Amino acid sequence: MPDTSATDELGEIAGFGYERARDELVNVVKMLEQGGMDLDDALALWERGEALANRCEEHLAGARQRVEKALADSERE
């Protein structure tokens, strides 16, 4: 039977707002920097960090598009 916990976790992260994803990413980085965990736990934490970073990037890309659209709209007026 496949492990669905990673999939469930990624689905959870997909619903995070920018601030929550950023704050959790900061915590993941701190935990990884502290070390002291076994390889499997470190890899799982790294994967969560990657998913959180991607979520932050999605929000930033969306914000960038909104700003560009607003600027283009204001130039037309």
Side-chain angles (χ1 to χ4, degrees):
M1 181 173 213
D3 179 17
T4 60
S5 60
T7 304
D8 292 345
E9 192 169 290
L10 294 179
E12 174 195 16
I13 291 171
F16 286 3
Y18 174 77
E19 289 79 8
R20 180 171 179 190
R22 181 203 59 218
D23 292 346
E24 289 204 25
L25 179 56
V26 168
N27 288 333
V28 165
V29 170
K30 286 179 185 176
M31 291 172 66
L32 287 169
E33 287 176 341
Q34 289 174 356
M37 63 185 78
D38 67 34
L39 181 59
D40 288 335
D41 290 342
L43 286 174
L45 199 54
W46 178 272
E47 290 170 349
R48 181 173 178 79
E50 286 287 327
L52 290 163
N54 288 337
R55 185 64 182 140
C56 288
E57 184 57 37
E58 289 171 359
H59 278 288
L60 293 173
R64 188 177 308 113
Q65 289 176 347
R66 289 174 55 195
V67 168
E68 289 171 357
K69 183 182 181 316
L71 289 173
D73 289 348
S74 69
E75 290 175 359
R76 289 187 204 133
E77 293 178 2

